[in-house]
Amino acid sequence: MGLSEHIVMRELDVPEINDFEVYRRHGGWEAYRMALKEKNPADIVAMVKESGLRGRGGAGFPTGIKWGFLPKGVYPRYLLCNCDESEPGTFNNHQIIDRNPHQLIEGVALSAFAIECHTAYIYMRGEFAAAAITLERAIAEAYRAGFLGRNILGTGFDLDIYVHRGAGAYICGEETALMESLEGKIGQPRLKPPFPAVAGLYGKPTIINNVETLANVPRIVEKGVAWYRSHGTEKSPGTKCFSLSGHVNRPGNYELPFGVPLRELIESPEYGGGMRGGRPVKIIIPGGASAPWLTHEHLDVPLDYESVAAAGSMLGSGAVIVLDDTVKAPHVAYKMDEFFKHESCGKCTPCREGTHWLVRVLHRIAEEGHATPEDIPTLHGIYNQMAGNCFCLLGESAVMPIKSALTLFPEEFEAVVAASRRLPHGNGQRDGKSGPVIPLSARH
Amino acid sequence: MLLETHRAEIETILSRYDSRRSAVLPLLYLAQDTYGYLTEAAIREVAAILGLPPTDVFEVVGFYTLFYNRPVGTWVLQVCDDVPCCYLGAEELISALKQSLGIAEEQTTSDGMFTLQRVKCLAACDRAPVLQANLDYVYDVTPERVNALLTNLRARAAEARQRGVSGRFAEDFEWGPDGALTLIDRAAPYRPRQFPAASPPAPLEPEPVPEADAGHDRPTDRKASPL
């Protein structure tokens, strides 16, 4: 299932497409110019709504509907572009910007026009320092060409786009934490409602969209809804830039229509090129670290939101991590939860404490090879107390790796328990004095 | 004082936001690059520029990982040890760096040249193992390339001191066909990475079963608890 034309990674083969003039020669900025001259903001919103474009940041929420939540007549409004890409396995925002920054800027500008906003911020994670410079350079080119600034192209529309660098916090990819961070505070999420569309940045109506989402907008406006809907599936129209990583021969970004089977992404010589060394697939994480795991049994699942959800996982950000049989499930869960523990903002107790204790127990099991029979119910107990009880999705996400590992590979935990049983001191009594570990689940 | 040395830059930053407080991250980057790290005086200075209580700025410095409130080396090396990097050579890379530099994580070499840190996902999983040197990406850093990398960085120490550790002038690097560290060509068309075809899979070695008395002496060199 190839793709005749790329949308997000448009002009894939054009050298110097990062240059304003080259992008312009390939039809770039044309959708924006046409929209400003000939269309109303409401037309663009309607087009995006009808295109069925869904947010690519993870939730898959329809973008046009999100834009429709803005209260009428309340200004100023802000547009925020979320480029705080920090979840293990995700790396397409970075490459979209590196390769073709103008496409994103045009998408931001068009969307700002559509929602009648005059200030847009692109919030980049602090580590994307060089990409931020690339983007700022491209924004400066757009200003010089008169596509940004005051009275753009004589239409009376004003727009400023600024790049704002975060400083190393995954939680700032959560939309309300991103706004807190942009307001100069620590990145802790806000209570919802009110949703950002009603009260967002500085308490004003705010729309937040992911880089990949906004990069779709120029082509939708330029080529129309029918063209866009001819890609992908009925419920997941368009294409997705899948970030494939792990033990594959050709890790990288592959833009494919929604609905392509996992097997094709992993095995096709055009894409993943199969597993390194021909090893078997053990764990597939189809949507970034927060997605429940799949296994080799799910290789025929089509990659669209509905099918992946039906298989018991989520497409999320489309970051597909494929691991072979050299990895151990408890260790993968340990590394993943160590990530969430490190990135927990500390605001709510289930996440702050839960990730902490998951990592403590998993570290002992995965790194030291010591486990007691009680560890397994303890782990179940910890994640059950987190699930559904966290303030934002970070804590909920931390449940997925350990829950998946325990569900799909219980024998690997039991093997550690069995091996520890043979160890005289490996019975969970840390120093022989503190008594046995009481599982959390047994304390209630 | 920042306001005297960087007034134009500070005013440009402030003009971007409808609230002065929003400028706290960019101003902290500026202060960090000016003073080498965020001294208490530097943090208070940023607070004064923004008209904020100093505690608000101290809190921000403590929350975000890219702010250093203690001295760091000329080059801060941040190695991603997350999934999938950790299965594709990140641990070997960290060991090689520790051995070459003679330091552990979170330490700085005695000549003040390098600080080594483990960090979480750097969003370059296709180029694992990956590290950032003062937020310049360096892709595909296999342990064999560590010495070439360190030599290159030492040679550019003066440049690094001038640019600072906050990545305000960052550039990204990869390894050229000649094995030399080269700037990323952003103008080149996108090409996924291609690993060479590998030999057929070797069977996995069976799990080592601990000896019956292996637990008597818990190893003293076991990895420190992460907490």
Side-chain angles (χ1 to χ4, degrees), chain B residues 43-124:
Chain B
I43 296 171
R44 288 183 186 281
E45 197 180 335
V46 169
I49 294 171
L50 297 173
L52 287 173
T55 48
D56 285 2
V57 185
F58 279 103
E59 178 187 51
V60 167
V61 173
F63 185 83
Y64 295 96
T65 55
L66 295 183
F67 296 129
Y68 310 110
N69 55 4
R70 59 188 170 81
V72 288
T74 303
W75 289 102
V76 180
L77 304 180
Q78 301 189 310
V79 189
C80 170
D81 73 344
D82 234 316
V83 180
C85 278
C86 69
Y87 299 122
L88 294 163
E91 291 298 330
E92 291 80 356
L93 169 61
I94 293 169
S95 302
L97 282 168
K98 282 160 80 169
Q99 197 171 11
S100 293
L101 299 172
I103 54 173
E105 293 93 338
E106 297 299 324
Q107 292 180 346
T108 301
T109 51
S110 53
D111 59 357
M113 185 63 73
F114 296 107
T115 298
L116 179 62
Q117 292 184 319
R118 281 174 185 262
V119 294
K120 293 297 150 197
C121 188
L122 289 176

Side-chain angles (χ1 to χ4, degrees), chain A residues 272-311:
Chain A
M275 299 296 284
R276 284 176 77 178
R279 300 212 77 92
V281 171
K282 178 168 176 179
I283 297 170
I284 304 167
I285 310 173
S290 47
W293 301 353
L294 302 177
T295 64
H296 63 91
E297 290 169 12
H298 299 101
L299 278 170
D300 293 311
V301 170
L303 288 166
D304 58 70
Y305 292 104
E306 288 72 27
S307 307
V308 179

